[in-house]
Amino acid sequence: AQSVTQLDSHVSVSEGTPVLLRCNYSSSYSPSLFWYVQHPNKGLQLLLKYTSAATLVKGINGFEAEFKKSETSFHLTKPSAHMSDAAEYFCVVSNGVAAGNKLTFGGGTRVLVKP
Amino acid sequence: GAGVSQSPRYKVAKRGQDVALRCDPISGHVSLFWYQQALGQGPEFLTYFQNEAQLDKSGLPSDRFFAERPEGSVSTLKIQRTQQEDSAVYLCASSLNRGSGNTIYFGEGSWLTVV
């Protein structure tokens, strides 16, 4: 079984300040982990993914995430928020082929960026 | 095509009406997924195809939901006798193959409202 918990349903930051979105996962296998972003009325866009290579993963638009197996965490960060970062972010776990590549989504974190 | 295409983008159905939602995956993608996203929640897995074979339909909420992919490319999600609780965004996704960590690309979704 696999599950994902996003610890904050809403995060509010000022433009230019750091962003931290917290994610903890549970998995019976060595998981693949992803962060997706969803802008209003738009599809899900992949920000980055972890697939058992380097534990620090760099993604698009300046985002990065660190896989910490001992803490079962995969937190997403960005050093300086931009207004265009306002969106909903989903942490996602997959147990890969063993589970048919089924993705399990967290509940989402809505990010508000204040000018 | 360049991305996963879904139609219709928006559908209003009267309760009890049957609906069909279409998904055109990225050309050549073997794996195809359907997810349901209720308002304010993360997407939840419905079903998974590898080519024309439906390998997992454990997420389909009732026998009113039916999905097919007869030729291994285009897929249709059919909902019979729609109910208000079926109102959601239905997301289709595809990936090149079923290898672990493969990037899964999402369409923009079909927004279903049952009145």
Side-chain angles (χ1 to χ4, degrees):
Chain A
Q2 56 192 31
S3 65
V4 180
T5 301
Q6 291 183 243
L7 300 171
D8 306 290
S9 59
H10 294 81
V11 168
S12 180
V13 299
S14 297
E15 190 175 22
T17 64
V19 181
L20 169 64
L21 305 183
R22 299 181 295 166
C23 171
N24 287 98
Y25 70 91
S26 172
S27 174
S28 303
Y29 304 92
S30 295
S32 295
L33 293 158
F34 309 81
W35 277 97
Y36 280 85
V37 62
Q38 188 175 41
H39 288 91
N41 300 325
K42 295 291 185 182
L44 289 157
Q45 181 184 18
L46 180 68
L47 282 177
L48 50 80
K49 65 179 180 180
Y50 165 77
T51 56
S52 75
T55 57
L56 183 62
V57 182
K58 294 188 182 299
I60 63 172
N61 301 336
F63 285 94
E64 62 181 37
E66 186 172 8
F67 173 72
K68 292 186 176 181
K69 185 175 181 179
S70 60
E71 299 176 11
T72 60
S73 69
F74 190 57
H75 301 333
L76 181 72
T77 60
K78 182 173 180 177
S80 176
H82 191 271
M83 295 298 292
S84 61
D85 295 327
E88 184 118 28
Y89 292 78
F90 292 97
C91 182
V92 184
V93 63
S94 170
N95 284 332
V97 175
N101 283 326
K102 183 186 303 184
L103 299 181
T104 299
F105 285 75
T109 299
R110 185 167 296 277
V111 173
L112 172 66
V113 182
K114 298 177 289 186
Chain B
V4 179
S5 178
Q6 294 187 244
S7 62
R9 288 292 319 278
Y10 303 94
K11 174 70 177 179
V12 178
K14 292 183 178 180
R15 191 171 58 180
Q17 184 179 354
D18 296 350
V19 300
L21 308 176
R22 176 188 169 104
C23 173
D24 281 272
I26 294 172
S27 180
H29 277 197
V30 169
S31 298
L32 185 145
F33 307 82
W34 284 98
Y35 285 81
Q36 180 190 57
Q37 186 176 18
L39 188 65
Q41 298 183 20
E44 293 193 354
F45 173 82
L46 292 177
T47 186
Y48 161 64
F49 290 86
Q50 185 180 347
N51 295 307
E52 69 278 4
Q54 189 175 20
L55 299 185
D56 188 344
K57 54 181 181 179
S58 62
L60 296 176
S62 78
D63 59 8
R64 296 186 295 104
F65 287 70
F66 173 76
E68 61 183 5
R69 194 186 185 197
E71 297 179 358
S73 56
V74 171
S75 177
T76 303
L77 176 66
K78 298 179 179 178
I79 309 173
Q80 298 176 322
R81 304 181 304 281
T82 52
Q83 304 294 315
Q84 283 191 320
E85 61 263 29
D86 300 335
S87 296
V89 180
Y90 291 86
L91 298 168
C92 179
S94 71
S95 68
L96 185 59
N97 57 46
R98 64 192 299 260
S100 178
N102 259 274
T103 298
I104 297 177
Y105 298 89
F106 283 83
E108 294 192 341
S110 290
W111 296 63
L112 173 65
T113 302
V114 180
V115 297

